[in-house]
Amino acid sequence: AQTVTQSQPEMSVQEAETVTLSCTYDTSENNYYLFWYKQPPSRQMILVIRQEAYKQQNATENRFSVNFQKAAKSFSLKISDSQLGDTAMYFCAFMKRDSGNTPLVFGKGTRLSVIA
Amino acid sequence: DAGVTQSPTHLIKTRGQQVTLRCSPKSGHDTVSWYQQALGQGPQFIFQYYEEEERQRGNFPDRFSGHQFPNYSSELNVNALLLGDSALYLCASSLSGGFTNEKLFFGSGTQLSVL
């Protein structure tokens, strides 16, 4: 079974600064996806960024980037130029890469507050 | 294009009662997954429906059951409610075929409170 661990329950960052959220995972699988989801007060899970484990290049999406260390089973999210709208819960998630639909396994989340 | 819609948004029930939650997937999606998110936790997978059948199930008791209709919408039923069933229930939809499940779209959830 896969597990996802987010060791930072809460974090805060000044507006326009950079913050890094940590995530580690445990799996015996070799092919999988890793995700960061954002959950604002509206409660809807919004995909922030996705990484395929078979790709060595770290994924980037505008101000969001990841540091994927497959051997260490580490998957951190860096948010640059933080904005007030980035305030939310952030969840790291794992998905086995398989034909058909496999479920997501989530961590417990990190609450990020962006301070003006 | 409407995304994933869930109803109701909030619900209050008492222990022992039964509840039905509803989900309409994003247009063009044929697979629906349900997740339970307890307070302070990440979502946990309950089950997934495709072609009107339960295809996968997480570690949830038989009190949790579901259904998918020909129009791909889905219901989650919980019988004999316990206080511990209080949670946010999230529905997610996707399109089957190949490795497409990574493109999940979530609804805003139903907040269930059991008193």
Side-chain angles (χ1 to χ4, degrees):
Chain A
Q2 290 79 29
T3 59
V4 176
T5 302
Q6 295 179 248
S7 59
Q8 305 153 314
E10 295 188 24
M11 293 193 72
S12 62
V13 62
Q14 291 290 132
E15 198 175 5
E17 296 297 309
T18 296
V19 64
T20 298
L21 309 183
S22 301
C23 172
T24 58
Y25 60 95
D26 189 26
T27 184
S28 58
E29 301 289 338
N30 195 44
N31 292 319
Y32 51 88
Y33 296 101
L34 294 165
F35 305 83
W36 279 97
Y37 279 90
K38 170 185 178 180
Q39 188 177 42
S42 66
R43 308 181 314 196
Q44 184 179 24
M45 284 285 186
I46 301 167
L47 179 64
V48 174
I49 199 165
R50 180 185 71 175
Q51 175 79 43
E52 290 97 335
Y54 58 89
K55 290 187 177 179
Q56 291 187 335
Q57 186 173 5
N58 289 323
T60 62
E61 287 288 343
N62 301 314
R63 298 183 294 108
F64 300 88
S65 62
V66 298
N67 183 5
F68 173 48
Q69 301 290 328
K70 190 173 183 180
K73 294 181 182 175
S74 171
F75 183 62
S76 61
L77 174 69
K78 185 172 81 171
I79 306 174
S80 304
D81 186 25
S82 297
Q83 301 176 358
L84 296 178
D86 295 334
T87 294
M89 285 292 295
Y90 286 81
F91 292 93
C92 178
F94 171 100
M95 178 188 288
K96 177 183 172 183
R97 186 174 187 267
D98 197 358
S99 60
N101 297 321
T102 57
L104 283 162
V105 177
F106 287 89
K108 290 188 176 183
T110 296
R111 182 176 303 279
L112 177 67
S113 298
V114 180
I115 303 166
Chain B
D1 173 29
V4 179
T5 58
Q6 292 186 243
S7 62
T9 55
H10 294 83
L11 202 53
I12 299 175
K13 292 286 188 178
T14 57
R15 280 179 298 173
Q17 283 189 315
Q18 179 264 343
V19 68
T20 297
L21 311 181
R22 296 176 176 83
C23 172
S24 292
K26 179 179 170 61
S27 177
H29 284 185
D30 59 5
T31 301
V32 173
S33 301
W34 288 91
Y35 288 80
Q36 180 196 64
Q37 186 177 10
L39 188 64
Q41 303 292 318
Q44 283 195 296
F45 175 72
I46 304 175
F47 45 52
Q48 181 183 86
Y49 276 83
Y50 169 62
E51 290 187 334
E52 302 180 48
E53 290 187 8
E54 182 182 295
R55 296 290 179 169
Q56 295 192 68
R57 188 178 184 93
N59 189 23
F60 279 80
D62 292 344
R63 298 186 299 108
F64 289 76
S65 63
H67 188 76
Q68 186 179 37
F69 299 93
N71 67 353
Y72 308 123
S73 67
S74 176
E75 289 182 349
L76 164 64
N77 301 292
V78 187
N79 295 322
L81 284 167
L82 304 173
L83 295 179
D85 295 331
S86 295
L88 178 68
Y89 289 84
L90 293 167
C91 172
S93 73
S94 58
L95 180 62
S96 64
F99 303 99
T100 57
N101 197 42
E102 68 272 19
K103 294 182 175 64
L104 277 179
F105 287 81
F106 282 86
S108 295
T110 294
Q111 183 66 53
L112 172 64
S113 298
V114 182
L115 305 178

